[in-house]
């Protein structure tokens, strides 16, 4: 068998998590030559570099250091850099993850120079085209040659859009692989001690979606709801959110609240540890809705749609939007429930068995024969 040159393209924090177990497997395989490319869409230490260290990943061969900008500036600059890297390194396949602009740039650059694309976390749809990620998901899937779907629903979404069943593989979710692989390290995290928190005594909040945090009214509604729930809420603040809290004059207002504990973004191990001991997670992140399910912690999603509909149908997650009264009502309902974690522990997971990365690696290697 000839060796297989794979160029994984990552750039934002959740992509590094999704890619980590697969990159570990591929980097140990002598038949694989990895040419890891980091677009640098996320550049702060706590948003990117710490993740490569956390997972002991190989250092990226190429770092485009693109950083922030408008969608067109960011995606365009990444495409130029990725195209140059593809032309120079001539990979057999370009591997993209999830739905951020980095994935779109990787897929568009590769398809134009006729290099096959494999998409990990393919087939997700929220139905909300106002979200940049939804547009990215659709475009990336329709450029890809190998589509690795995490769930049955994702497979159905792809079939409904006319994608050939021969390109679609139901492999499970690589974020389950990551949680299992780093389970011990997550359990050894000392974050609760560092933040002086007691188990099952606090809520976790994250919000970073452009449609929520770029809108002063919505951001204010979310944080006013937290103040009203009056339960200690740990709030790792994404850089986009921090910038906007200052810009809208909301930071000083909420810093005074004695039930909100704003902290810097956490690395993966501390974040998972913090989430697993919490009694409720409120988020607009896609990955955290799924992680909440896997950790059996109830979740309220601060959006009107979700690409993880399975979690809602199973009763583990509820879409509450950003209205203050709705968030308060639903949070109080869950906080009053007797042992919701017991109820959630009985649910069967639709996200696979923790071997998604192995399946993806073996399909990629078969294609190289
Ligand atoms: C991006 C993804 C989103 C993903 C999220 C994970 C797109 C369209 N969105 O959103 O799907 O859920 O990453 O975090 O690709 N910033 C920093 N330091 C950083 C990165 C960002 O300060 O390291 C600030 C900058 O002010 C920047 C803003 O955050 O303008 C937004 O960053 P950007 O990469 O454009 O999108 P995210 O909101 O992070």
């Amino acid at each position: 068998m000839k060796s297989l040159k794979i160029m994984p393209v990552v750039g934002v924090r959740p992509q590094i998590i999704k890619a980590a177990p697969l990159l570990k497997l591929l980097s140990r395989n002598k038949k694989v030559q990895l040419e890891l490319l980091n677009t640098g869409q996320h550049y702060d230490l706590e948003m990117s570099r710490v993740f490569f260290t956390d997972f002991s990943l190989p250092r990226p061969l190429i770092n485009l250091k693109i950083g922030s900008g408008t969608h067109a500036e960011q995606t365009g600059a990444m495409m130029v850099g990725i195209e140059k890297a593809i032309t120079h390194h001539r990979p057999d396949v370009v591997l993209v993850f999830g739905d951020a602009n980095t994935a779109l740039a990787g897929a568009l650059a590769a398809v134009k120079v006729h290099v096959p694309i494999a998409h990990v976390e393919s087939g997700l749809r929220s139905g909300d085209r106002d979200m940049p990620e939804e547009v990215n998901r659709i475009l990336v899937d329709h450029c890809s040659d190998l589509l690795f779907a995490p769930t049955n629903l994702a497979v159905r979404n792809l079939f409904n859009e006319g994608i050939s069943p021969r390109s679609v593989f139901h492999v499970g979710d690589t974020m389950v692989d990551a949680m299992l692989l780093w389970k011990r390290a997550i359990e050894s995290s000392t974050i609760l001690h560092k933040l002086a928190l007691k188990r099952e005594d606090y809520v976790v909040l994250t919000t970073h979606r452009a449609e929520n945090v770029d809108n002063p009214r919505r951001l204010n509604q979310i944080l006013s709801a937290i103040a009203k729930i009056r339960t200690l809420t740990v709030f790792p603040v994404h850089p986009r959110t921090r910038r906007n809290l200052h810009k809208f004059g909301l930071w000083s207002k909420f810093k005074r609240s004695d039930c909100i504990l704003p902290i810097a973004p956490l690395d993966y191990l501390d974040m998972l540890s913090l989430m697993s001991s919490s009694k409720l997670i409120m988020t607009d992140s896609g990955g955290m809705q799924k992680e909440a399910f896997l950790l059996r912690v109830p979740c309220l999603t601060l959006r009107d749609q979700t690409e993880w509909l399975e979690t809602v149908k199973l009763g583990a997650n509820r879409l509450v939007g950003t209205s203050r009264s709705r968030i308060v009502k639903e949070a109080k309902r869950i906080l009053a429930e007797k042992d919701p974690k017991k109820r959630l522990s009985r649910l069967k997971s639709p996200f696979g068995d923790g071997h998604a990365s192995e399946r993806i690696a073996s399909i990629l290697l078969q294609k190289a024969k």
Side-chain angles (χ1 to χ4, degrees), residues 8 14 65 71 74 89 133 160 194 230 237 243 246:
K65 299 191 176 158
H71 286 282
Q74 200 178 48
H89 294 280
E133 292 83 2
N160 287 343
K194 278 189 205 142
R230 300 219 54 80
V237 189
R243 187 193 62 190
H246 285 294

Side-chain angles (χ1 to χ4, degrees), residues 103-122:
L104 177 66
L108 286 181
V111 74
K112 299 275 183 174
V113 291
H114 312 295
V115 173
I117 302 154
H119 183 205
V120 175
E121 205 183 68
S122 172

Side-chain angles (χ1 to χ4, degrees), residues 142-196:
H142 285 263
C143 289
S144 294
D145 302 271
L146 299 172
L147 296 94
F148 296 119
T151 61
N152 278 318
L153 180 58
V155 171
R156 281 208 300 280
N157 289 337
L158 294 170
F159 291 170
N160 287 343
E161 289 175 17
I163 287 176
S164 161
R166 273 182 303 153
S167 314
V168 178
F169 301 87
H170 181 190
V171 289
D173 199 303
T174 61
M175 281 174 80
V176 179
D177 308 8
M179 268 181 73
L180 293 176
L181 209 55
W182 283 282
K183 188 170 186 285
R184 280 238 197 94
I186 293 167
E187 285 165 359
S188 312
S189 155
T190 55
I191 190 66
L192 264 67
H193 178 71
K194 278 189 205 142
L195 296 176

Side-chain angles (χ1 to χ4, degrees), residues 47 60 149 152 191 234 266 275 302 350:
M47 297 301 283
N152 278 318
I191 190 66
V234 186
L266 294 175
M275 287 164 70
L302 307 164

Side-chain angles (χ1 to χ4, degrees), residues 12-14 41-44 47 67-69 71 74 99-102 132-133 136 208-210 238-240 243:
V12 300
R13 193 160 79 143
Q41 179 175 342
H42 281 174
Y43 43 90
D44 283 352
M47 297 301 283
S68 306
H71 286 282
Q74 200 178 48
D99 55 17
N101 286 345
T102 287
E133 292 83 2
N136 292 349
H208 75 279
R209 292 280 167 198
H238 185 284
R240 176 180 208 122
R243 187 193 62 190

